[in-house]
Amino acid sequence: MPYRREFARRACLISLTAVFLALTGCDLFSQRTASAFAYPSPAGLSADRPVLLTETNGVVGQPWGAAGFPLPQQLFWNNVDMMQTSHVQEMRAAAAGLDSDGRAPQLGVVAWGYEYAAATGTAAAGSGLPDNSGIGGWKEWGSWMKAHPGYASTNANNAVEPGYFTPLMPMDPVDWPPEWTAPPGWIAPPGWVADRPAAVTSYAQWLGIRLAQLALVTGCRGMTCADYVVGLEWGDGVDYNARVVDDFATGAGLTIPAGTPSERAAWIQANARSKWWDFKCSRFGEFYGSMAQNLLDNGKDALVGGQMSGFPMLTRGSGDDFRVFLHGSHSVPGRHWFFNIELQSDPLRPPSDYWFSSIQMGVTAAREPDMPLGGQMDALGGQGAFDAAVQQAHQDQTWARKDLTQQWLSVGWSHVAGRDGSVRRAPLSFMRSYWDAGETPTTEMELLLRHIPRHPFGPALYYSVPIERTFEGPGN
């Protein structure tokens, strides 16, 4: 489409302008050679000196133990044997080590959609999925899911999604799990919520508070979410349980005609898509915000977030809108958030044109400049994800290094104007491939770090939320 080509062309010009100025030595840099350049010391998120995510004084780390539990065991963690033993002290020691290293110890919260079958032992023969129905945490999660069929998500085709509760789901106090109360014999940590809620609240809040309780026990300060936990409702097609739709209608002041889930979904998409997406994003804000607020109330310098696609106009449909997260009713200040924008290649994602990474980083930052963002970049070696993508693209290592160079420079020099009029680099940190592993393009890192954006240069992109809303109307 013409507008899409123009969009790409302008972003490409920004990147090419930066590369030209760097290579010609124009006023962006002093005339020192790259070899004479010394890295400033890293000190957390910074547009002046973007850190590598897991270096000392970087951003986050995942301590040993409960940080890596599967999601069912993280939510029903007090039923996991390891959480009742001396191993908890080892987890706390690992988290304290990360804290002393200048990084935030975080839970890694990930799901892949197999959890219900594994937790209930109902996986199809030959599927290769495990039967975890007798394992602590898994057993309780599966039992609780089966005991609340009225909360199961209903998709836009009128079918029930077994074992999946959307975070949008309003929940009555009688339906909160018994694990909400402190288990017998357990010494409750500070901030433990020992009473059931007094009013209707959302499954999103329960998810956030359960994870906050686990973090308080293990010394973590937040969570990094990925895969089915970020955008947990799998797009915009599985949220149409009647309880959710009625709750949305009440909050939005709408009268949605009676009908099947499919008919009501069609009405929402045709008449109230923007309000629907705002509602979804608000509930996800409750998920992150409830965890962060619980940690803040107990003296922890919270940091919550995860990995995110670089398409803000599309992620709204999955419940992920940074503006709603930061400025909604359940929000916490911007310094307690951090999202990595996924720019890396892997066997499922071929290497993209370098200017496309710049588009993703720049547009996402421009849409909500108060949200701290990092770039999850390509890297040679390490986990081998980029190398595999290069091979699948039938390219060689020479091409790979050129592609890597252009991506790091174009993303690293993308910059954004804040609400106060200041100009800064868009990414505040870099992550190499997966798990911050692989080869960093050293010369290119020196080039981009020698220039700190202080004023606009090159063509500009302006992000308009009102224009974005026009694409959320009927037929788009």
Side-chain angles (χ1 to χ4, degrees), residues 77-79 84 178-189 192 210 213:
W77 55 267
N78 46 298
N79 300 101
Q84 311 298 329
E179 288 77 11
W180 184 264
T181 59
W186 184 265
I187 299 175
W192 178 268
R210 287 297 293 169
Q213 291 171 345

Side-chain angles (χ1 to χ4, degrees), residues 128-427:
L129 295 179
D131 179 356
N132 294 341
S133 58
I135 299 175
W138 285 94
K139 175 182 177 181
E140 290 74 18
W141 185 82
S143 297
W144 189 62
M145 284 281 178
K146 288 193 296 183
H148 297 83
Y151 287 157
S153 296
T154 309
N155 65 35
N157 295 319
N158 302 318
V160 173
E161 298 279 343
Y164 175 71
F165 293 178
T166 171
L168 281 57
M169 181 64 65
M171 299 177 66
D172 296 317
V174 69
D175 293 321
W176 285 80
E179 288 77 11
W180 184 264
T181 59
W186 184 265
I187 299 175
W192 178 268
V193 182
D195 298 318
R196 297 185 180 199
V200 174
T201 188
S202 68
Y203 182 54
Q205 287 192 48
W206 179 73
L207 289 170
I209 294 174
R210 287 297 293 169
L211 291 169
Q213 291 171 345
L214 174 60
L216 287 169
V217 170
T218 57
C220 289
R221 292 201 274 123
M223 62 181 170
T224 295
C225 300
D227 298 331
Y228 282 4
V229 181
V230 168
L232 188 63
E233 67 299 314
W234 309 339
D236 196 28
V238 299
D239 299 311
Y240 297 103
N241 179 294
R243 288 176 55 88
V244 173
V245 174
D246 289 344
D247 190 42
F248 162 65
T250 298
L254 298 172
T255 300
I256 300 177
T260 65
S262 181
E263 291 168 340
R264 301 185 90 193
W267 188 94
I268 290 171
Q269 292 296 317
N271 297 280
R273 185 185 294 172
S274 287
K275 290 184 177 180
W276 174 245
W277 286 1
D278 284 341
F279 168 70
K280 294 175 68 172
C281 297
S282 177
R283 283 288 157 88
F284 263 81
E286 293 180 33
F287 166 55
Y288 290 107
S290 61
M291 181 185 194
Q293 192 60 58
N294 194 279
L295 292 171
L296 288 168
D297 288 346
N298 287 277
K300 290 287 187 179
D301 188 14
L303 191 67
V304 297
Q307 65 184 41
M308 189 69 69
S309 152
F311 302 96
M313 67 294 293
L314 299 179
T315 55
R316 275 177 45 76
S318 296
D320 301 309
D321 183 333
F322 292 163
R323 287 197 172 189
V324 176
F325 287 177
L326 283 183
H327 307 294
S329 59
H330 288 82
S331 187
V332 294
R335 64 178 299 271
H336 299 296
W337 298 78
F338 175 71
F339 282 90
N340 251 329
I341 304 305
E342 294 187 85
L343 307 172
Q344 81 287 350
S345 310
D346 59 34
L348 299 179
R349 282 183 271 204
S352 63
D353 293 310
Y354 68 90
W355 49 262
F356 191 63
S357 295
S358 181
I359 287 175
Q360 291 178 286
M361 192 76 235
V363 170
T364 305
R367 190 187 188 283
E368 180 42 70
D370 292 340
M371 176 63 79
L373 300 174
Q376 187 165 327
M377 316 283 278
D378 280 320
L380 290 171
Q383 301 297 323
F386 178 56
D387 306 73
V390 169
Q391 289 180 357
Q392 290 190 10
H394 305 293
Q395 299 288 353
D396 58 20
Q397 285 290 298
T398 300
W399 180 93
R401 289 183 178 276
K402 289 181 179 179
D403 186 78
L404 198 69
T405 293
Q406 296 294 344
Q407 184 198 47
W408 280 74
L409 287 176
S410 63
V411 173
W413 282 344
S414 296
H415 54 286
V416 59
R419 286 189 170 87
D420 61 357
S422 64
V423 175
R424 64 166 174 82
R425 201 186 310 268

Side-chain angles (χ1 to χ4, degrees), residues 424-445:
R424 64 166 174 82
R425 201 186 310 268
L428 306 184
S429 73
F430 296 121
M431 178 177 176
R432 298 159 295 193
S433 189
Y434 292 97
W435 300 282
D436 197 24
E439 179 182 329
T440 304
T442 305
T443 303
E444 289 74 18
M445 281 286 286

